[in-house]
Every structure is written in C-alpha cells, then in structure tokens.
Amino acid sequence: MKKVPFITKEQAEEIAKKYPTPFHIYDEKGIRENARRLYDAFSWNKGFKEFFAVKATPNPTILKILKEEGCGTDCSSYTELLMSKRCGFDGSNIMFSSNDTPTSEFRYANEIGATINLDDITHIDFVKQACGKIPERISCRYNPGGKFSIANTIMDNPGDAKYGLTRPQMTEAFKTLKELGAKEFGIHAFLASNTVTNEYYPMLAKILFTTAVELAKETGVHIGFINLSGGVGIPYTPDKEPNDIYAIGEGVRKAYEEVLVPAGMGDVAIYTELGRFMLAPYGHLVTRAIHEKHTHKEYIGVDACAVNLMRPAMYGAYHHITVLGKENEPCDHIYDITGSLCENNDKFAIDRALPKIDMGDLLVIHDTGAHGFAMGYNYNGKLKSAELLLREDGSVLQIRRAETPDDYFATLEGFWDKI
Ligand SMILES: *Cc1c(COP(=O)(O)O)cnc(C)c1O
C-alpha cells in the first residue's frame, strides 16, 4: 500500500520552527480510529480488552488516549507499572507479562492488583515468596515449542524462545496454583512477531482455545480469559497490504464458536496485548538532510541517528522514507541515508531509490510509532529527541521534551560536581 505521511512539508516546517528536528510525532486521529476498529472487530466478545504493550510507546499521553478508547496496559517492568498506575489505570486494567522478573516487581504488581502472567513454573514459588500468597487471578504463558507455521511458511520459532511454560508444565502449574488458592485462570502465548497475515490470530486462538478446554478438563480450574498477546504486524514495505482487523476478529470468533462454545466455555474473555499494530503506523520520525557525501556511494546525512530509531541498525529493518514536498517526484537517485553514530550500521536506508535530496529537505521516516523512540539510547553522547502529538484539531502538543546535556549528566551526581 502506498505510504502517505500524515503531515505535509508545510506543516512539518512550521512545527520544526518551534521543535527542532529530529522529533517523533504521533497522529492522534489515526491512533483513535485504529483502536476503535479493533474494539469493533472484537465486539462479539463481551469481555474483550486490549492491554496496550507499554514498551512499544511508553508515553503517558499516548497511554491516556488509549485509556479513553477502552484499553488497559501490558507492562514488562516496574517503571511501566508505575507509569500505568500514574496514568490512572487500575489493577484490573493492567497485565504484567514480564520475564526473568525480580522479586520487587512481582510484589509491586501484586500490590496494585495487576494480573500477573507467569513466564515459568518456578515462578509460582517465587511469587508466593514475594507476595506471601498466590493472587486469586493469575495467568500462565504457554510455549508449545517447535516451529510456528502458517500454510507451510515458518512464521517464528517458539522452540528457540526463552518465554513460557511447556504443555505438561501448564497442567502442573494450573493444578498447583489451584491448590494455592487461585480462582480465575488465564492463558497467554506469543508465537510470532510482526505477522502480516490475517491468519495468525485465528491460528493462535485455535491452539489456545483447544489447550484451554484440555486444561479445564484436566485440572478443573475456571478459565476466565485467553490472551492472544501481540504479534499482529504492519506492512513496513509499500508492497505489502495491511492486516484486516475485521477479518482477524472474525477468524478468532469462528475458532471460539468451534472450540470454546461447545465445551461450555462461551464466557471466556479475549484479551490482546498489541503494541506495534496500535501505534507503529501512527508515528513518524522527522529529520533534516544536513550533509551529502559523494564517495564510493552516494550518502545523505540526516540529523537523526540510530539512537532515535534503532530498528534498521539493530535488525536491518526496513522503514519507508518520504522526502517531504517531493512526494510526486521520480525516485531516480540511489542513496544511503545515514545518521552520525560512529557505527557503519547507522543507516536508515541502504541503496534506497528516492527523489533527489537537497540540503535542508525534511524526511519522514515512516512507521516509527512503536518500538521507535522507545528503543532509544544515549550512545555517542546523543540525546533523545522530543515526542510530539498531532492532535485531532491539527494543533501540535509536545508530549515529551528533548533531552538536554543536563539530563545526560544527571546520573553523575557527586562526580560531575568535582570535575
Ligand atoms: C512486545 C510484547 C507485546 C507487543 O508486541 P507487538 O509485536 O508490538 O504487538 C505484547 N506482549 C508481550 C508479552 C510482549 O513482550
């Protein structure tokens, strides 16, 4: 699908007068409309809830927008729990799907009433020790192992993933948890990442629903919810078509009618923990071309670098680029688009066909709304950018200021003073 930025060159130039490049900007309208489509697609399930994966875009303003659309949060750490709590999410709207979790984090999650999603069978004892008891509502993360395929295509490799309990461990865990006083059980699994197919959730649902029926029979527990987790992807490249969330919701409904309803489990709530699908397309990284270099290749240096968006450097991820104001010009130049890190993998694009870029041009790097700013770091003494929100009325709100050198030096208290 053709990639069209949600801001124009004129808008971006106007914004850049107040908030210098590089910056991340999010599209409130796009975020809200997408969240509404998700809820609509799953409206057949009475208990449906999306627990937004905070790690994708950990910004309170974004969390509050999603809260208004009916979402909860899915947290992976203490600070994400703190942020959720501060944003007004109560425990019943917080999922804690962590792994390799410290005692203090389980304790805090339990204290605020978040639903703990156990990543291992040994965590039963660990949580009991940490919290003094097992919470009444508890979830376990399932990992069936092997490879996860759709129509002979390997989507991912759960057998190699560090997460979750094996199938026999699921039975044992549910029995033990029941003896320890748990009353409401959930099952969770995350078997493939960034799937651009409408088949993933329905296939996963079928596996989890079948497992839920078996577990209920084997252990006699009450299964209250099934968490399909994240993994519904987005088309980063223009040659792909986006997922149809209505087809996905319908596919899950069919599996539900086929497996859960006949087993007398038609009251199970469906949960999701989407991150990328909720936010990625609704974020741009906006950056300016500041250097051109003609050596063994043609380079354009921009004022953003991998600390603003790590995915290309980290796993060669493709992010589409639009040169603002040149949307309709022919892509007759081949460039590497580089950042300034002293790392040769600091390239937003390699051998990319783009219109001729002139110094001062603004570039939109697409699909940076999830796992974009969030993965930022401070290598090379680089500072994190601002995050902005394009509101529905067209105004722009700064929802996180850019870091300053003082922020960078703040953790050196005691040492810095003496220099
Ligand atoms: C990262 C993560 C998600 C969100 O994944 P997306 O691919 O962004 O949808 C959901 N649940 C858990 C446990 C995760 O670690």
Side-chain angles (χ1 to χ4, degrees), residues 142-198:
Y142 174 39
N143 182 339
K147 295 198 170 28
F148 185 80
S149 308
I150 298 178
N152 294 325
T153 306
I154 295 174
M155 304 296 293
D156 225 318
N157 199 349
D160 258 355
K162 65 174 177 172
Y163 311 105
L165 289 77
T166 66
R167 181 62 190 82
Q169 287 175 337
M170 288 293 286
T171 304
E172 199 187 326
F174 274 30
K175 282 184 181 160
T176 309
L177 288 164
K178 189 182 169 198
E179 277 165 23
L180 293 172
K183 300 220 155 44
E184 195 194 354
F185 288 71
I187 306 175
H188 167 285
F190 191 157
L191 303 186
S193 193
N194 191 35
T195 57
V196 191
T197 158
N198 297 330

XYZ file of all heavy atoms in Angstrom, residues 142-198:
434
model
N 2.115 -19.743 27.753
C 2.315 -21.062 27.148
C 3.275 -20.965 25.966
O 3.180 -20.053 25.159
C 0.946 -21.601 26.694
C 0.971 -22.898 25.925
C 1.830 -23.930 26.274
C 0.102 -23.102 24.860
C 1.837 -25.126 25.560
C 0.098 -24.291 24.143
C 0.978 -25.293 24.497
O 0.975 -26.472 23.785
N 4.217 -21.924 25.906
C 5.117 -22.038 24.759
C 5.086 -23.486 24.258
O 5.645 -24.368 24.880
C 6.546 -21.640 25.164
C 7.512 -21.685 23.987
O 7.258 -22.350 22.987
N 8.621 -20.993 24.122
N 4.404 -23.720 23.124
C 4.264 -25.101 22.627
C 5.557 -25.663 22.052
O 5.606 -26.863 21.746
C 3.195 -24.984 21.535
C 3.206 -23.553 21.123
C 3.717 -22.749 22.271
N 6.591 -24.854 21.881
C 7.847 -25.321 21.293
C 7.715 -25.505 19.791
O 6.725 -25.070 19.182
N 8.718 -26.118 19.187
C 8.685 -26.377 17.741
C 8.701 -25.102 16.925
O 9.166 -24.058 17.378
N 8.198 -25.218 15.722
C 8.125 -24.057 14.833
C 6.671 -23.696 14.629
O 5.803 -24.562 14.640
C 8.795 -24.369 13.498
C 10.292 -24.629 13.618
C 10.970 -24.491 12.296
C 12.493 -24.494 12.335
N 13.141 -25.219 13.421
N 6.410 -22.414 14.435
C 5.038 -21.987 14.196
C 4.887 -21.641 12.722
O 5.516 -20.708 12.231
C 4.702 -20.779 15.075
C 3.271 -20.350 14.964
C 2.277 -21.022 15.662
C 2.910 -19.280 14.148
C 0.945 -20.635 15.555
C 1.573 -18.889 14.039
C 0.598 -19.572 14.739
N 4.079 -22.432 12.016
C 3.931 -22.234 10.564
C 2.500 -21.898 10.206
O 1.555 -22.347 10.842
C 4.311 -23.509 9.818
O 5.568 -23.959 10.230
N 2.377 -21.102 9.159
C 1.071 -20.874 8.553
C 1.212 -21.251 7.085
O 2.060 -20.698 6.382
C 0.618 -19.401 8.688
C 0.466 -19.027 10.164
C -0.690 -19.157 7.930
C 0.074 -17.598 10.417
N 0.397 -22.207 6.643
C 0.414 -22.667 5.247
C 1.844 -22.953 4.770
O 2.307 -22.403 3.775
C -0.268 -21.648 4.343
N 2.555 -23.782 5.501
C 3.919 -24.214 5.154
C 4.991 -23.129 5.242
O 6.126 -23.354 4.876
C 3.975 -24.843 3.752
C 3.184 -26.146 3.717
O 3.156 -26.876 4.707
N 2.538 -26.415 2.606
N 4.617 -21.941 5.681
C 5.626 -20.897 5.869
C 5.936 -20.803 7.356
O 5.017 -20.654 8.174
C 5.089 -19.532 5.381
O 4.653 -19.705 4.036
C 6.161 -18.458 5.442
N 7.215 -20.911 7.692
C 7.592 -20.791 9.103
C 7.495 -19.326 9.509
O 8.138 -18.454 8.917
C 9.016 -21.319 9.344
C 9.061 -22.827 9.067
C 9.461 -21.031 10.787
C 10.441 -23.433 9.140
N 6.649 -19.052 10.479
C 6.435 -17.675 10.918
C 7.423 -17.307 12.023
O 7.864 -16.170 12.118
C 5.020 -17.487 11.472
C 3.914 -17.871 10.527
S 3.877 -16.837 9.060
C 3.407 -15.257 9.776
N 7.704 -18.259 12.895
C 8.619 -17.985 14.007
C 8.987 -19.313 14.650
O 8.472 -20.355 14.267
C 7.980 -17.032 15.014
C 8.959 -15.937 15.434
O 10.144 -16.270 15.649
O 8.552 -14.765 15.548
N 9.862 -19.237 15.638
C 10.466 -20.436 16.181
C 10.297 -20.491 17.704
O 11.258 -20.234 18.440
C 11.959 -20.361 15.795
C 12.616 -21.714 15.877
O 12.028 -22.667 16.409
N 13.832 -21.796 15.380
N 9.085 -20.814 18.195
C 8.847 -20.816 19.642
C 9.804 -21.740 20.407
O 10.146 -21.478 21.558
C 7.404 -21.316 19.780
C 6.769 -21.064 18.460
C 7.865 -21.173 17.432
N 10.248 -22.844 19.746
C 11.162 -23.777 20.404
C 12.483 -23.132 20.803
O 13.195 -23.648 21.670
N 12.815 -22.025 20.180
C 14.052 -21.314 20.483
C 13.826 -20.122 21.411
O 14.762 -19.423 21.757
C 14.652 -20.753 19.178
C 15.809 -21.600 18.696
O 16.184 -22.541 19.419
O 16.328 -21.299 17.608
N 12.572 -19.869 21.763
C 12.253 -18.670 22.534
C 12.354 -18.947 24.028
O 11.970 -20.023 24.494
C 10.850 -18.175 22.174
N 12.854 -17.992 24.763
C 13.078 -18.180 26.201
C 11.790 -18.146 27.018
O 11.787 -18.446 28.194
C 14.039 -17.098 26.718
C 13.488 -15.686 26.634
C 14.428 -14.676 27.305
C 13.909 -13.261 27.161
N 14.656 -12.267 27.939
N 10.681 -17.769 26.384
C 9.456 -17.499 27.130
C 8.573 -18.723 27.362
O 8.541 -19.643 26.569
C 8.609 -16.471 26.360
C 9.370 -15.275 25.917
C 9.724 -15.121 24.581
C 9.763 -14.290 26.832
C 10.441 -14.017 24.165
C 10.482 -13.192 26.415
C 10.814 -13.056 25.086
O 11.532 -11.969 24.669
N 7.848 -18.669 28.445
C 6.703 -19.547 28.610
C 6.957 -20.928 29.191
O 8.092 -21.358 29.394
N 5.827 -21.622 29.473
C 5.842 -22.970 30.044
C 5.541 -23.994 28.941
O 4.810 -23.699 27.996
C 4.746 -23.117 31.109
C 4.877 -22.400 32.442
C 4.542 -20.918 32.301
C 3.955 -23.022 33.479
N 6.075 -25.198 29.107
C 5.749 -26.277 28.155
C 4.326 -26.753 28.437
O 3.738 -26.422 29.475
C 6.702 -27.474 28.326
O 6.474 -28.058 29.609
C 8.164 -27.047 28.209
N 3.817 -27.578 27.539
C 2.437 -28.068 27.706
C 2.267 -28.873 28.998
O 1.316 -28.615 29.763
C 2.047 -28.870 26.435
C 0.649 -29.425 26.443
C -0.394 -28.321 26.519
N -1.712 -28.883 26.764
C -2.164 -29.232 27.965
N -1.419 -29.071 29.043
N -3.371 -29.732 28.092
N 3.154 -29.859 29.297
C 2.991 -30.571 30.580
C 3.105 -29.634 31.788
O 2.398 -29.807 32.787
C 4.135 -31.600 30.582
C 4.560 -31.731 29.153
C 4.245 -30.437 28.487
N 3.982 -28.639 31.678
C 4.128 -27.689 32.792
C 2.863 -26.866 33.003
O 2.544 -26.493 34.139
C 5.315 -26.741 32.534
C 6.679 -27.408 32.704
C 7.820 -26.480 32.331
O 7.656 -25.519 31.576
N 9.000 -26.759 32.873
N 2.136 -26.581 31.920
C 0.883 -25.818 32.050
C -0.095 -26.572 32.958
O -0.700 -25.988 33.862
C 0.238 -25.575 30.672
C 0.948 -24.574 29.795
S 0.928 -22.861 30.393
C -0.762 -22.377 30.061
N -0.237 -27.862 32.721
C -1.147 -28.676 33.540
C -0.702 -28.663 35.002
O -1.504 -28.414 35.913
C -1.182 -30.137 33.025
O -1.541 -30.116 31.646
C -2.177 -30.971 33.803
N 0.582 -28.916 35.187
C 1.115 -28.978 36.547
C 0.960 -27.623 37.254
O 0.562 -27.557 38.423
C 2.595 -29.382 36.469
C 3.146 -29.911 37.773
C 4.655 -30.133 37.675
O 5.136 -30.506 36.577
O 5.338 -29.907 38.693
N 1.248 -26.547 36.514
C 1.157 -25.207 37.098
C -0.272 -24.887 37.512
O -0.520 -24.366 38.606
C 1.664 -24.165 36.090
N -1.240 -25.221 36.653
C -2.637 -24.912 36.973
C -3.094 -25.697 38.211
O -3.791 -25.160 39.066
C -3.546 -25.200 35.767
C -3.646 -24.048 34.801
C -2.588 -23.156 34.637
C -4.804 -23.822 34.056
C -2.670 -22.086 33.765
C -4.902 -22.749 33.179
C -3.840 -21.895 33.029
N -2.658 -26.968 38.305
C -3.019 -27.768 39.480
C -2.443 -27.148 40.748
O -3.141 -26.995 41.752
C -2.483 -29.203 39.319
C -3.329 -30.065 38.395
C -2.782 -31.496 38.363
C -3.593 -32.377 37.420
N -2.848 -33.570 37.009
N -1.163 -26.808 40.685
C -0.505 -26.225 41.861
C -1.136 -24.887 42.249
O -1.424 -24.637 43.426
C 1.004 -26.005 41.574
O 1.539 -27.215 41.064
C 1.753 -25.580 42.819
N -1.370 -24.045 41.243
C -1.947 -22.720 41.522
C -3.341 -22.851 42.144
O -3.699 -22.093 43.053
C -2.017 -21.897 40.227
C -0.668 -21.402 39.688
C -0.796 -20.942 38.231
C -0.118 -20.255 40.546
N -4.089 -23.830 41.662
C -5.434 -24.057 42.202
C -5.344 -24.454 43.680
O -6.073 -23.920 44.527
C -6.125 -25.162 41.399
C -7.601 -25.334 41.719
C -8.168 -26.489 40.915
C -9.546 -26.868 41.398
N -9.912 -28.223 40.932
N -4.411 -25.360 43.979
C -4.220 -25.775 45.378
C -3.819 -24.597 46.258
O -4.166 -24.531 47.428
C -3.107 -26.831 45.473
C -3.576 -28.242 45.176
C -2.394 -29.190 44.927
O -1.274 -28.887 45.405
O -2.606 -30.206 44.234
N -3.095 -23.650 45.654
C -2.617 -22.499 46.420
C -3.642 -21.369 46.494
O -3.351 -20.290 46.992
C -1.297 -21.988 45.834
C -0.104 -22.951 45.980
C 1.104 -22.450 45.198
C 0.262 -23.142 47.451
N -4.818 -21.609 45.927
C -5.902 -20.642 46.135
C -6.285 -19.796 44.934
O -7.171 -18.931 45.044
N -5.642 -19.990 43.782
C -6.028 -19.212 42.603
C -7.423 -19.626 42.159
O -7.791 -20.807 42.239
C -5.021 -19.445 41.473
N -8.216 -18.645 41.698
C -9.611 -18.924 41.347
C -9.918 -18.666 39.877
O -10.730 -19.341 39.279
C -10.540 -18.061 42.213
C -10.371 -18.317 43.699
C -11.699 -18.330 44.419
C -11.677 -19.128 45.699
N -10.491 -18.915 46.561
N -9.273 -17.623 39.328
C -9.545 -17.299 37.929
C -8.264 -17.399 37.122
O -7.264 -16.744 37.453
C -10.150 -15.905 37.800
C -10.767 -15.709 36.440
C -11.097 -14.262 36.117
O -10.946 -13.389 36.996
O -11.486 -14.021 34.966
N -8.295 -18.206 36.069
C -7.078 -18.506 35.315
C -7.106 -17.911 33.919
O -8.161 -17.818 33.290
C -6.887 -20.027 35.205
C -6.478 -20.670 36.490
C -7.374 -20.789 37.541
C -5.182 -21.150 36.669
C -6.996 -21.384 38.746
C -4.805 -21.746 37.861
C -5.701 -21.861 38.908
N -5.903 -17.551 33.457
C -5.759 -17.074 32.089
C -4.642 -17.808 31.380
O -3.732 -18.344 32.019
N -4.733 -17.852 30.054
C -3.670 -18.465 29.238
C -3.199 -17.432 28.223
O -4.021 -16.728 27.618
C -4.187 -19.712 28.477
C -4.833 -20.691 29.448
C -3.048 -20.387 27.721
C -5.454 -21.880 28.741
N -1.893 -17.375 28.044
C -1.283 -16.370 27.176
C -0.262 -17.057 26.295
O 0.395 -18.015 26.718
C -0.604 -15.336 28.094
C 0.340 -14.378 27.435
N 1.607 -14.749 27.013
C 0.232 -13.061 27.148
C 2.221 -13.686 26.499
N 1.415 -12.655 26.563
N -0.111 -16.590 25.053
C 1.005 -17.056 24.216
C 1.334 -16.018 23.153
O 0.441 -15.311 22.657
C 0.678 -18.383 23.536
N 2.608 -15.919 22.859
C 3.100 -15.004 21.824
C 4.019 -15.844 20.932
O 5.143 -16.128 21.304
C 3.879 -13.865 22.501
C 4.223 -12.705 21.606
C 4.472 -11.450 22.144
C 4.305 -12.844 20.230
C 4.788 -10.366 21.335
C 4.613 -11.775 19.414
C 4.860 -10.526 19.969
N 3.509 -16.285 19.783
C 4.250 -17.274 18.998
C 4.900 -16.726 17.738
O 5.759 -17.387 17.148
C 3.332 -18.464 18.637
C 2.678 -19.175 19.825
C 1.934 -20.413 19.354
C 3.695 -19.544 20.906
N 4.513 -15.551 17.291
C 5.141 -14.990 16.090
C 5.035 -13.469 16.138
O 4.027 -12.928 16.582
C 4.482 -15.524 14.833
N 6.087 -12.813 15.673
C 6.162 -11.362 15.773
C 5.911 -10.702 14.418
O 6.281 -11.258 13.372
C 7.561 -10.997 16.273
O 7.578 -9.661 16.657
N 5.303 -9.542 14.433
C 5.031 -8.754 13.215
C 4.475 -9.598 12.061
O 5.018 -9.592 10.957
C 6.283 -7.994 12.763
C 5.954 -6.972 11.685
O 4.879 -6.369 11.705
N 6.847 -6.774 10.735
N 3.401 -10.299 12.325
C 2.791 -11.105 11.264
C 1.935 -10.211 10.374
O 1.103 -9.450 10.865
C 1.886 -12.203 11.863
O 0.882 -11.588 12.685
C 2.689 -13.167 12.717
N 2.209 -10.255 9.073
C 1.356 -9.506 8.145
C 0.506 -10.527 7.391
O 0.738 -10.852 6.239
C 2.188 -8.620 7.196
C 1.279 -7.661 6.434
C 3.216 -7.818 7.988
N -0.448 -11.077 8.109
C -1.401 -12.061 7.579
C -2.591 -12.068 8.525
O -2.431 -11.885 9.730
C -0.787 -13.484 7.517
O -1.851 -14.436 7.512
C 0.094 -13.786 8.721
N -3.767 -12.283 7.962
C -4.956 -12.327 8.814
C -5.117 -13.678 9.496
O -6.049 -13.885 10.259
C -6.208 -12.008 7.978
C -6.142 -10.603 7.409
O -5.551 -9.710 8.007
N -6.740 -10.408 6.249
